Amino acid sequence: MKKLTWTAHALLALTASLTASLSTAQTAAQNYPQKPIRMIVPFTPGGSTDILARSIGQELSKAWGQSVIIENIAGAGGSIGADKAAKSPADGYTLLMGHIGTLAVNPSLYPKLPYNPIKDFAPVAWVARVPNVLVVNPNVPAKSVQELVALAKSKPGQLSYGSGGNGSAANLATEYFKMQTETAILHIPYRGTAPAVTDLMGGQIQMLFTGAPAVMGQVKNGQLRALAVSSPKRLDALPDLPTVAEAGYKNFEADQWYGVVAPAGTPRDIVLKLNQQINVALNSAELKKRLNTEGAVATPETPEAFGKLIAQEIERWRPVITSGRVKAD
């Protein structure tokens, strides 16, 4: 029998090594999870990101019999918690409940962001989107988007809008609206959505774009007037409310969105296992109902689809942040 050359020996050894590594990875995924999973929420408890993380964590715990521990690490628009998640071991036991801010807005908002949403994370699952609703004080003489735009153009810089702070979803949604409608509307930042809604009802500001749950009650009891929703489709909870696109601004979309990511390098089989189980939860009637009460729409998708969304949204919001001169608080 002919002797194997050194190259042949090396090739056989490499093949054996790769086979063993693949087998080990597959075994790890099959046995996953064998201990509690930590899900980092880069904001304080009680907000939409926290609520969604706890809902998903509860479903994973029920399915796998392992605890999902929610760890709230707030600060710098979610950057501190996201950075900690990015630098955690890539073994599937640390996850991040990210959202439009941490994964798409912060790269343009913070010049020295300590993490890269594309390079430092592996997309796992797109969890939900939360449409923004455009509301005005009832004394504003505009009962449609077209009438509001006409009013703003007749009084440049005299109408004002509120937001939960510089760089917040409400801030960006309205700056995008200003770009699309070519209007000049003054920004009044608040420390949170609640005080902005209070001042809107009081007439200190004239308009606000914010997540549906924050204003649903006030719209239904007549304290605020809803003009449109930012999503591509109408809201089930407000079926008579048109979309901004239907109001004449084609392709307008400015929803908030949320999803799970893991540190880059997390084994592919574990990512797929997480994705599959999260999607099972998102397709359940129980979780859909729970999300609906928060004004959220479940979005079960592949990791690739979620990764594509992140990349597209980074590019979409960059010019909005630049043209609106949006700065972080």
mmCIF file of all heavy atoms in Angstrom, residues 96-130:
data_model
loop_
_atom_site.group_PDB
_atom_site.id
_atom_site.type_symbol
_atom_site.label_atom_id
_atom_site.label_comp_id
_atom_site.label_asym_id
_atom_site.label_seq_id
_atom_site.Cartn_x
_atom_site.Cartn_y
_atom_site.Cartn_z
ATOM 1 N N LEU A 96 -29.835 39.422 23.893
ATOM 2 C CA LEU A 96 -30.227 40.824 24.045
ATOM 3 C C LEU A 96 -31.587 41.020 23.400
ATOM 4 O O LEU A 96 -31.801 40.605 22.255
ATOM 5 C CB LEU A 96 -29.213 41.744 23.364
ATOM 6 C CG LEU A 96 -29.604 43.234 23.284
ATOM 7 C CD1 LEU A 96 -29.477 43.903 24.651
ATOM 8 C CD2 LEU A 96 -28.741 43.974 22.255
ATOM 9 N N MET A 97 -32.512 41.652 24.127
ATOM 10 C CA MET A 97 -33.754 42.092 23.502
ATOM 11 C C MET A 97 -33.471 43.486 22.953
ATOM 12 O O MET A 97 -33.467 44.476 23.678
ATOM 13 C CB MET A 97 -34.917 42.135 24.497
ATOM 14 C CG MET A 97 -36.221 42.633 23.876
ATOM 15 S SD MET A 97 -36.838 41.663 22.459
ATOM 16 C CE MET A 97 -37.550 40.253 23.291
ATOM 17 N N GLY A 98 -33.150 43.527 21.673
ATOM 18 C CA GLY A 98 -32.820 44.791 21.034
ATOM 19 C C GLY A 98 -34.050 45.430 20.437
ATOM 20 O O GLY A 98 -35.124 44.830 20.374
ATOM 21 N N HIS A 99 -33.902 46.678 20.019
ATOM 22 C CA HIS A 99 -35.004 47.347 19.339
ATOM 23 C C HIS A 99 -34.437 48.365 18.364
ATOM 24 O O HIS A 99 -33.227 48.467 18.168
ATOM 25 C CB HIS A 99 -35.982 47.937 20.351
ATOM 26 C CG HIS A 99 -35.682 49.313 20.835
ATOM 27 N ND1 HIS A 99 -34.417 49.747 21.162
ATOM 28 C CD2 HIS A 99 -36.511 50.369 21.059
ATOM 29 C CE1 HIS A 99 -34.493 51.003 21.558
ATOM 30 N NE2 HIS A 99 -35.742 51.406 21.507
ATOM 31 N N ILE A 100 -35.318 49.104 17.724
ATOM 32 C CA ILE A 100 -34.915 50.031 16.669
ATOM 33 C C ILE A 100 -33.816 50.988 17.128
ATOM 34 O O ILE A 100 -32.915 51.326 16.367
ATOM 35 C CB ILE A 100 -36.143 50.808 16.145
ATOM 36 C CG1 ILE A 100 -35.764 51.721 14.980
ATOM 37 C CG2 ILE A 100 -36.835 51.576 17.265
ATOM 38 C CD1 ILE A 100 -36.956 52.403 14.318
ATOM 39 N N GLY A 101 -33.874 51.396 18.396
ATOM 40 C CA GLY A 101 -32.871 52.332 18.910
ATOM 41 C C GLY A 101 -31.496 51.708 19.034
ATOM 42 O O GLY A 101 -30.521 52.204 18.467
ATOM 43 N N THR A 102 -31.407 50.607 19.765
ATOM 44 C CA THR A 102 -30.110 49.979 20.034
ATOM 45 C C THR A 102 -29.479 49.378 18.788
ATOM 46 O O THR A 102 -28.256 49.353 18.657
ATOM 47 C CB THR A 102 -30.249 48.874 21.106
ATOM 48 O OG1 THR A 102 -31.345 48.020 20.762
ATOM 49 C CG2 THR A 102 -30.482 49.458 22.476
ATOM 50 N N LEU A 103 -30.303 48.898 17.851
ATOM 51 C CA LEU A 103 -29.762 48.189 16.696
ATOM 52 C C LEU A 103 -29.719 48.998 15.402
ATOM 53 O O LEU A 103 -28.966 48.644 14.497
ATOM 54 C CB LEU A 103 -30.572 46.900 16.459
ATOM 55 C CG LEU A 103 -30.531 45.875 17.596
ATOM 56 C CD1 LEU A 103 -31.447 44.693 17.282
ATOM 57 C CD2 LEU A 103 -29.107 45.390 17.856
ATOM 58 N N ALA A 104 -30.495 50.071 15.300
ATOM 59 C CA ALA A 104 -30.533 50.805 14.027
ATOM 60 C C ALA A 104 -30.281 52.302 14.155
ATOM 61 O O ALA A 104 -29.699 52.900 13.258
ATOM 62 C CB ALA A 104 -31.882 50.580 13.340
ATOM 63 N N VAL A 105 -30.703 52.897 15.254
ATOM 64 C CA VAL A 105 -30.566 54.345 15.420
ATOM 65 C C VAL A 105 -29.235 54.737 16.054
ATOM 66 O O VAL A 105 -28.574 55.679 15.609
ATOM 67 C CB VAL A 105 -31.744 54.900 16.266
ATOM 68 C CG1 VAL A 105 -31.521 56.365 16.620
ATOM 69 C CG2 VAL A 105 -33.053 54.723 15.513
ATOM 70 N N ASN A 106 -28.830 54.011 17.085
ATOM 71 C CA ASN A 106 -27.617 54.378 17.835
ATOM 72 C C ASN A 106 -26.352 54.496 16.987
ATOM 73 O O ASN A 106 -25.504 55.346 17.269
ATOM 74 C CB ASN A 106 -27.387 53.400 18.981
ATOM 75 C CG ASN A 106 -28.342 53.661 20.142
ATOM 76 O OD1 ASN A 106 -29.143 54.593 20.101
ATOM 77 N ND2 ASN A 106 -28.274 52.833 21.175
ATOM 78 N N PRO A 107 -26.166 53.682 15.938
ATOM 79 C CA PRO A 107 -24.955 53.834 15.120
ATOM 80 C C PRO A 107 -24.787 55.233 14.521
ATOM 81 O O PRO A 107 -23.663 55.685 14.308
ATOM 82 C CB PRO A 107 -25.133 52.779 14.018
ATOM 83 C CG PRO A 107 -25.976 51.732 14.645
ATOM 84 C CD PRO A 107 -26.932 52.485 15.528
ATOM 85 N N SER A 108 -25.898 55.916 14.251
ATOM 86 C CA SER A 108 -25.819 57.273 13.703
ATOM 87 C C SER A 108 -25.935 58.339 14.790
ATOM 88 O O SER A 108 -25.562 59.484 14.572
ATOM 89 C CB SER A 108 -26.941 57.488 12.675
ATOM 90 O OG SER A 108 -26.798 56.603 11.593
ATOM 91 N N LEU A 109 -26.433 57.940 15.949
ATOM 92 C CA LEU A 109 -26.679 58.897 17.026
ATOM 93 C C LEU A 109 -25.460 59.090 17.919
ATOM 94 O O LEU A 109 -25.212 60.184 18.423
ATOM 95 C CB LEU A 109 -27.870 58.410 17.858
ATOM 96 C CG LEU A 109 -28.624 59.428 18.701
ATOM 97 C CD1 LEU A 109 -29.185 60.549 17.851
ATOM 98 C CD2 LEU A 109 -29.759 58.720 19.451
ATOM 99 N N TYR A 110 -24.699 58.010 18.107
ATOM 100 C CA TYR A 110 -23.525 58.055 18.992
ATOM 101 C C TYR A 110 -22.252 57.883 18.165
ATOM 102 O O TYR A 110 -22.010 56.797 17.622
ATOM 103 C CB TYR A 110 -23.603 56.946 20.045
ATOM 104 C CG TYR A 110 -24.724 57.136 21.032
ATOM 105 C CD1 TYR A 110 -25.990 56.593 20.785
ATOM 106 C CD2 TYR A 110 -24.547 57.867 22.210
ATOM 107 C CE1 TYR A 110 -27.043 56.764 21.685
ATOM 108 C CE2 TYR A 110 -25.583 58.039 23.117
ATOM 109 C CZ TYR A 110 -26.824 57.491 22.851
ATOM 110 O OH TYR A 110 -27.861 57.663 23.741
ATOM 111 N N PRO A 111 -21.431 58.928 18.066
ATOM 112 C CA PRO A 111 -20.208 58.854 17.241
ATOM 113 C C PRO A 111 -19.233 57.771 17.687
ATOM 114 O O PRO A 111 -18.496 57.228 16.878
ATOM 115 C CB PRO A 111 -19.578 60.248 17.411
ATOM 116 C CG PRO A 111 -20.704 61.124 17.880
ATOM 117 C CD PRO A 111 -21.602 60.243 18.683
ATOM 118 N N LYS A 112 -19.211 57.457 18.990
ATOM 119 C CA LYS A 112 -18.261 56.464 19.509
ATOM 120 C C LYS A 112 -19.005 55.273 20.121
ATOM 121 O O LYS A 112 -18.723 54.846 21.234
ATOM 122 C CB LYS A 112 -17.341 57.106 20.550
ATOM 123 C CG LYS A 112 -16.450 58.207 19.967
ATOM 124 C CD LYS A 112 -15.532 58.803 21.024
ATOM 125 C CE LYS A 112 -14.647 59.892 20.414
ATOM 126 N NZ LYS A 112 -13.750 60.526 21.430
ATOM 127 N N LEU A 113 -19.935 54.750 19.383
ATOM 128 C CA LEU A 113 -20.700 53.588 19.858
ATOM 129 C C LEU A 113 -19.743 52.418 20.090
ATOM 130 O O LEU A 113 -18.960 52.066 19.201
ATOM 131 C CB LEU A 113 -21.753 53.205 18.826
ATOM 132 C CG LEU A 113 -22.864 52.261 19.293
ATOM 133 C CD1 LEU A 113 -23.758 52.946 20.310
ATOM 134 C CD2 LEU A 113 -23.709 51.794 18.103
ATOM 135 N N PRO A 114 -19.779 51.790 21.280
ATOM 136 C CA PRO A 114 -18.800 50.739 21.592
ATOM 137 C C PRO A 114 -19.072 49.382 20.944
ATOM 138 O O PRO A 114 -18.303 48.446 21.117
ATOM 139 C CB PRO A 114 -18.880 50.640 23.120
ATOM 140 C CG PRO A 114 -20.281 51.049 23.443
ATOM 141 C CD PRO A 114 -20.633 52.110 22.436
ATOM 142 N N TYR A 115 -20.157 49.262 20.200
ATOM 143 C CA TYR A 115 -20.474 47.987 19.536
ATOM 144 C C TYR A 115 -20.962 48.273 18.131
ATOM 145 O O TYR A 115 -21.406 49.377 17.814
ATOM 146 C CB TYR A 115 -21.536 47.204 20.315
ATOM 147 C CG TYR A 115 -22.875 47.902 20.381
ATOM 148 C CD1 TYR A 115 -23.871 47.670 19.434
ATOM 149 C CD2 TYR A 115 -23.151 48.820 21.398
ATOM 150 C CE1 TYR A 115 -25.088 48.331 19.487
ATOM 151 C CE2 TYR A 115 -24.366 49.488 21.463
ATOM 152 C CZ TYR A 115 -25.331 49.247 20.508
ATOM 153 O OH TYR A 115 -26.525 49.909 20.562
ATOM 154 N N ASN A 116 -20.876 47.257 17.269
ATOM 155 C CA ASN A 116 -21.369 47.347 15.896
ATOM 156 C C ASN A 116 -22.550 46.378 15.755
ATOM 157 O O ASN A 116 -22.361 45.163 15.882
ATOM 158 C CB ASN A 116 -20.253 46.978 14.913
ATOM 159 C CG ASN A 116 -20.682 47.121 13.461
ATOM 160 O OD1 ASN A 116 -21.727 46.628 13.057
ATOM 161 N ND2 ASN A 116 -19.864 47.799 12.667
ATOM 162 N N PRO A 117 -23.759 46.890 15.514
ATOM 163 C CA PRO A 117 -24.929 46.011 15.462
ATOM 164 C C PRO A 117 -24.838 44.899 14.418
ATOM 165 O O PRO A 117 -25.439 43.836 14.591
ATOM 166 C CB PRO A 117 -26.080 46.973 15.120
ATOM 167 C CG PRO A 117 -25.611 48.304 15.553
ATOM 168 C CD PRO A 117 -24.136 48.304 15.318
ATOM 169 N N ILE A 118 -24.102 45.141 13.341
ATOM 170 C CA ILE A 118 -23.980 44.136 12.282
ATOM 171 C C ILE A 118 -22.889 43.121 12.601
ATOM 172 O O ILE A 118 -23.100 41.909 12.506
ATOM 173 C CB ILE A 118 -23.676 44.813 10.922
ATOM 174 C CG1 ILE A 118 -24.778 45.819 10.565
ATOM 175 C CG2 ILE A 118 -23.519 43.762 9.829
ATOM 176 C CD1 ILE A 118 -26.129 45.233 10.334
ATOM 177 N N LYS A 119 -21.708 43.601 12.989
ATOM 178 C CA LYS A 119 -20.567 42.714 13.199
ATOM 179 C C LYS A 119 -20.562 42.011 14.556
ATOM 180 O O LYS A 119 -20.033 40.910 14.688
ATOM 181 C CB LYS A 119 -19.262 43.504 13.053
ATOM 182 C CG LYS A 119 -19.015 44.042 11.653
ATOM 183 C CD LYS A 119 -17.715 44.821 11.592
ATOM 184 C CE LYS A 119 -17.468 45.383 10.190
ATOM 185 N NZ LYS A 119 -16.219 46.196 10.153
ATOM 186 N N ASP A 120 -21.149 42.638 15.577
ATOM 187 C CA ASP A 120 -21.026 42.115 16.936
ATOM 188 C C ASP A 120 -22.205 41.273 17.395
ATOM 189 O O ASP A 120 -22.184 40.734 18.504
ATOM 190 C CB ASP A 120 -20.822 43.269 17.927
ATOM 191 C CG ASP A 120 -19.500 43.991 17.712
ATOM 192 O OD1 ASP A 120 -18.597 43.375 17.119
ATOM 193 O OD2 ASP A 120 -19.371 45.162 18.118
ATOM 194 N N PHE A 121 -23.234 41.153 16.558
ATOM 195 C CA PHE A 121 -24.411 40.366 16.937
ATOM 196 C C PHE A 121 -24.824 39.393 15.838
ATOM 197 O O PHE A 121 -24.629 39.662 14.656
ATOM 198 C CB PHE A 121 -25.602 41.278 17.243
ATOM 199 C CG PHE A 121 -25.476 42.060 18.514
ATOM 200 C CD1 PHE A 121 -25.398 43.450 18.476
ATOM 201 C CD2 PHE A 121 -25.434 41.434 19.746
ATOM 202 C CE1 PHE A 121 -25.289 44.187 19.641
ATOM 203 C CE2 PHE A 121 -25.313 42.158 20.922
ATOM 204 C CZ PHE A 121 -25.246 43.540 20.864
ATOM 205 N N ALA A 122 -25.391 38.283 16.270
ATOM 206 C CA ALA A 122 -26.025 37.331 15.358
ATOM 207 C C ALA A 122 -27.531 37.506 15.507
ATOM 208 O O ALA A 122 -28.064 37.339 16.612
ATOM 209 C CB ALA A 122 -25.636 35.901 15.724
ATOM 210 N N PRO A 123 -28.245 37.883 14.442
ATOM 211 C CA PRO A 123 -29.707 38.018 14.537
ATOM 212 C C PRO A 123 -30.337 36.674 14.896
ATOM 213 O O PRO A 123 -29.957 35.638 14.336
ATOM 214 C CB PRO A 123 -30.118 38.459 13.135
ATOM 215 C CG PRO A 123 -28.864 38.950 12.490
ATOM 216 C CD PRO A 123 -27.745 38.161 13.086
ATOM 217 N N VAL A 124 -31.279 36.683 15.804
ATOM 218 C CA VAL A 124 -31.957 35.455 16.234
ATOM 219 C C VAL A 124 -33.417 35.460 15.804
ATOM 220 O O VAL A 124 -33.864 34.559 15.091
ATOM 221 C CB VAL A 124 -31.850 35.268 17.762
ATOM 222 C CG1 VAL A 124 -32.698 34.070 18.215
ATOM 223 C CG2 VAL A 124 -30.400 35.078 18.187
ATOM 224 N N ALA A 125 -34.168 36.477 16.235
ATOM 225 C CA ALA A 125 -35.608 36.482 15.932
ATOM 226 C C ALA A 125 -36.170 37.894 15.969
ATOM 227 O O ALA A 125 -35.911 38.651 16.899
ATOM 228 C CB ALA A 125 -36.365 35.607 16.926
ATOM 229 N N TRP A 126 -36.927 38.231 14.938
ATOM 230 C CA TRP A 126 -37.687 39.482 14.926
ATOM 231 C C TRP A 126 -38.955 39.191 15.720
ATOM 232 O O TRP A 126 -39.755 38.338 15.356
ATOM 233 C CB TRP A 126 -37.998 39.851 13.482
ATOM 234 C CG TRP A 126 -38.717 41.148 13.276
ATOM 235 C CD1 TRP A 126 -39.126 42.035 14.230
ATOM 236 C CD2 TRP A 126 -39.119 41.693 12.015
ATOM 237 N NE1 TRP A 126 -39.743 43.112 13.647
ATOM 238 C CE2 TRP A 126 -39.758 42.934 12.291
ATOM 239 C CE3 TRP A 126 -39.007 41.273 10.685
ATOM 240 C CZ2 TRP A 126 -40.281 43.743 11.283
ATOM 241 C CZ3 TRP A 126 -39.527 42.086 9.685
ATOM 242 C CH2 TRP A 126 -40.148 43.301 9.982
ATOM 243 N N VAL A 127 -39.142 39.901 16.817
ATOM 244 C CA VAL A 127 -40.228 39.578 17.746
ATOM 245 C C VAL A 127 -41.516 40.338 17.436
ATOM 246 O O VAL A 127 -42.593 39.743 17.338
ATOM 247 C CB VAL A 127 -39.785 39.847 19.207
ATOM 248 C CG1 VAL A 127 -40.969 39.725 20.177
ATOM 249 C CG2 VAL A 127 -38.685 38.871 19.600
ATOM 250 N N ALA A 128 -41.422 41.655 17.315
ATOM 251 C CA ALA A 128 -42.646 42.437 17.153
ATOM 252 C C ALA A 128 -42.363 43.819 16.588
ATOM 253 O O ALA A 128 -41.235 44.309 16.649
ATOM 254 C CB ALA A 128 -43.361 42.580 18.502
ATOM 255 N N ARG A 129 -43.396 44.416 16.068
ATOM 256 C CA ARG A 129 -43.332 45.834 15.707
ATOM 257 C C ARG A 129 -44.475 46.541 16.422
ATOM 258 O O ARG A 129 -45.540 45.951 16.683
ATOM 259 C CB ARG A 129 -43.413 46.040 14.193
ATOM 260 C CG ARG A 129 -44.632 45.517 13.514
ATOM 261 C CD ARG A 129 -44.597 45.773 12.008
ATOM 262 N NE ARG A 129 -45.739 45.187 11.328
ATOM 263 C CZ ARG A 129 -46.953 45.754 11.261
ATOM 264 N NH1 ARG A 129 -47.152 46.917 11.842
ATOM 265 N NH2 ARG A 129 -47.936 45.169 10.622
ATOM 266 N N VAL A 130 -44.240 47.807 16.766
ATOM 267 C CA VAL A 130 -45.244 48.604 17.464
ATOM 268 C C VAL A 130 -45.499 49.865 16.639
ATOM 269 O O VAL A 130 -44.642 50.749 16.583
ATOM 270 C CB VAL A 130 -44.781 48.985 18.888
ATOM 271 C CG1 VAL A 130 -45.814 49.883 19.566
ATOM 272 C CG2 VAL A 130 -44.541 47.734 19.727
#
